């Protein structure tokens, strides 16, 4: 008998994938619109740490039961993203090179989750506290190496692993119970309002350092003094874990029609950016929206991002995508 899905986790994944798509859609407008820059900055304060955290939280059984087939599906997913990005950039931007080893694109997530799962197969036998502390220490140290960046997503491999491992170690029921309490929701709402306010008021001061939140660059490349790099990244971890807690607390555990889209986030993650390239950069979405509303075209692009999310997450698309990355699992489900 299959275990019943918890609506909160699917709702959380849906919310996060919406922010991922919006962030990628509006990224080209941040230099033109201060309000869009504020939205973009706010999104990056939590969305990827939270996504990696919930991935670790929900991969416990996969890792403990040594489901290598599910783990290797992330590597297949990574290759599919690379091929789709190559095709969409070739169509939209006339770029005819495929960058298999540089992960300055959305494929980095699939690669790091694949590696994290393999590493955790081995690390789960050791003290969880020791592994977590070591993971933080390594992430603080690698920032001083200017050669570590987007190649094989090495920087993000180190930077985001503490979030994955924390999710893996924490008990799902305990997280659900704590984040469902009224005091947690009130505190979380205040935290998010405060961070959103800072993203609006201090956007011009903070935005130049946004690469700190992306985790893909060395301290030097992020633009702050090298001696302070580790301390700033340590502060980033404290801040990001607070934001992950806040966002998780405010997500409902009530099942709605949107909950089913949360169960299909991997297909949306793979497809949304290639579609954005085609629609925005080839078919002229920006120019079209500017004709509709010269002052609000960047905000209208957010609606376009939502449409892309819903189109990418429809059930037939998700079924076909799951067949590509794990055909054996589809056959098992059909046999039930």
């Amino acid at each position: 008998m299959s275990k019943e899905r918890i609506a909160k986790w699917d709702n959380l994944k849906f919310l996060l994938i919406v922010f991922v798509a919006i962030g990628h859609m509006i990224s080209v407008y941040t230099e033109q619109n201060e309000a869009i820059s504020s939205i973009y900055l706010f999104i990056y304060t939590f969305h990827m740490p939270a996504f990696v955290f919930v991935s670790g939280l929900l991969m416990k059984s996969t890792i403990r039961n040594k489901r290598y087939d599910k783990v290797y599906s992330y590597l297949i997913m990574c290759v599919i993203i690379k091929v789709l990005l190559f095709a969409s950039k070739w169509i939209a931007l006339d770029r005819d090179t495929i960058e298999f080893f540089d992960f300055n694109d959305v494929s980095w997530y699939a690669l790091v989750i694949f590696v994290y799962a393999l590493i955790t197969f081995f690390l789960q036998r050791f003290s969880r506290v020791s592994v977590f502390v070591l993971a933080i220490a390594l992430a603080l140290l690698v920032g001083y190496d200017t050669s570590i960046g987007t190649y094989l997503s090495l920087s993000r491999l180190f930077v985001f692993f503490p979030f994955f491992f924390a999710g893996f170690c924490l008990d799902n029921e305990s997280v659900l119970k704590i984040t469902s309490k009224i005091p947690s929701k009130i505190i979380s709402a205040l935290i998010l309002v405060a961070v959103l306010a800072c993203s609006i008021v201090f956007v011009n001061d903070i935005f130049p350092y946004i690469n700190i939140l992306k985790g893909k660059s060395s301290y030097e490349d992020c633009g702050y003094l090298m001696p302070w790099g580790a301390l700033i990244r340590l502060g980033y971890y404290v801040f990001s874990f607070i934001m992950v807690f806040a966002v998780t607390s405010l997500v409902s555990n009530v099942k709605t029609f949107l909950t089913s889209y949360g169960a299909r986030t991997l297909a949306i993650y793979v497809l949304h950016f290639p579609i954005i390239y085609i629609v925005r950069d080839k078919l002229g979405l920006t120019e079209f929206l500017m004709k509709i509303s010269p002052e609000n075209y960047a905000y209208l692009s957010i609606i376009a991002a939502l449409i892309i999310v819903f189109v990418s997450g429809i059930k037939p698309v998700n079924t076909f995508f799951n067949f590509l990355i794990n055909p054996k699992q589809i056959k098992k489900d059909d046999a039930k």
Side-chain angles (χ1 to χ4, degrees):
M1 183 181 294
S2 60
K3 190 175 181 180
E4 184 178 355
R5 298 183 70 94
I6 304 298
K8 187 180 187 73
W9 308 136
D10 283 334
N11 290 338
L12 176 59
K13 290 193 297 177
F14 172 75
L15 177 67
L16 294 174
I17 199 63
V18 165
F19 280 123
V20 167
I22 291 174
H24 289 150
M25 175 65 82
I26 67 175
S27 62
V28 297
Y29 308 128
T30 56
E31 294 183 0
Q32 308 160 21
N33 189 307
E34 188 173 294
I36 290 295
S37 296
S38 295
I39 295 171
Y40 188 79
L41 177 61
F42 178 69
I43 288 173
Y44 272 86
T45 60
F46 66 87
H47 80 311
M48 286 321 299
F51 227 132
V52 175
F53 172 81
V54 76
S55 297
L57 196 72
L58 300 179
M59 287 191 75
K60 288 184 180 67
S61 61
T62 297
I63 293 172
R64 290 170 180 168
N65 296 327
K66 298 182 179 180
R67 287 294 307 274
Y68 295 105
D69 58 321
K70 287 190 175 183
V71 173
Y72 284 113
S73 67
Y74 282 91
L75 186 59
I76 298 173
M77 188 193 316
C78 181
V79 175
I80 292 174
I81 296 174
K82 283 292 187 184
V83 172
L84 289 177
L85 286 175
F86 165 74
S88 59
K89 288 180 180 180
W90 177 65
I91 294 172
L93 305 173
D94 291 327
R95 295 181 185 174
D96 56 0
T97 57
I98 187 166
E99 300 169 337
F100 262 118
F101 300 105
D102 184 76
F103 285 80
N104 192 24
D105 54 46
V106 294
S107 62
W108 74 265
Y109 169 79
L111 177 67
V112 300
I113 296 300
F114 167 70
V115 176
Y116 290 165
L118 293 182
I119 291 173
T120 309
F121 278 132
F122 173 73
L123 293 178
Q124 62 181 323
R125 69 190 72 180
F126 299 105
S127 165
R128 294 180 174 183
V129 174
S130 299
V131 172
F132 182 76
V133 171
L134 179 61
I136 292 287
L138 287 174
L140 299 181
L141 289 174
V142 297
Y144 290 105
D145 188 344
T146 56
S147 67
I148 290 182
T150 57
Y151 181 77
L152 292 177
S153 199
L154 288 175
S155 181
R156 280 168 165 160
L157 275 170
F158 285 100
V159 172
F160 286 100
F161 181 66
F163 298 109
F164 181 90
F165 194 72
F168 173 78
C169 292
L170 292 176
D171 178 67
N172 294 33
E173 293 297 328
S174 297
V175 174
L176 186 63
K177 183 177 180 180
I178 293 172
T179 57
S180 298
K181 293 182 177 180
I182 298 300
S184 295
K185 293 182 180 295
I186 295 173
I187 294 171
S188 298
L190 293 174
I191 290 171
L192 291 179
V193 169
V195 173
L196 178 59
C198 289
S199 299
I200 295 172
V201 175
F202 303 109
V203 61
N204 292 326
D205 298 315
I206 302 174
F207 199 85
Y209 304 100
I210 195 169
N211 279 340
I212 297 172
L213 304 176
K214 295 185 177 182
K216 63 180 182 179
S217 307
S218 67
Y219 298 146
E220 185 176 290
D221 291 338
C222 284
Y224 47 87
L225 295 176
M226 291 282 282
W228 300 101
L231 186 61
I232 293 173
R233 181 164 285 175
L234 185 61
Y236 157 78
Y237 279 121
V238 174
F239 170 76
S240 293
F241 274 113
I242 291 173
M243 289 296 288
V244 170
F245 168 79
V247 173
T248 304
S249 295
L250 290 182
V251 170
S252 170
N253 194 28
V254 177
K255 187 175 182 179
T256 69
F257 81 97
L258 297 175
T259 306
S260 61
Y261 278 86
R264 306 168 193 163
T265 51
L266 291 182
I268 299 171
Y269 195 89
V270 169
L271 296 173
H272 80 278
F273 213 173
I275 295 176
I276 286 175
Y277 273 128
I278 298 296
V279 173
R280 187 187 64 196
D281 301 320
K282 179 63 177 180
L283 300 182
L285 175 67
T286 300
E287 291 76 11
F288 173 72
L289 295 178
M290 288 183 72
K291 290 180 180 179
I292 296 176
S293 178
E295 295 181 354
N296 300 308
Y297 70 94
Y299 304 111
L300 293 176
S301 71
I302 294 176
I303 299 175
L306 293 175
I307 294 173
I308 290 172
V309 167
F310 283 107
V311 171
S312 303
I314 60 176
K315 193 171 182 179
V317 172
N318 184 69
T319 300
F320 177 70
F321 170 77
N322 286 335
F323 174 77
L324 290 178
I325 65 172
N326 198 344
K328 291 183 180 179
Q329 184 62 35
I330 296 294
K331 292 178 181 178
K332 288 179 181 178
D333 294 340
D334 291 340
K336 291 180 181 179

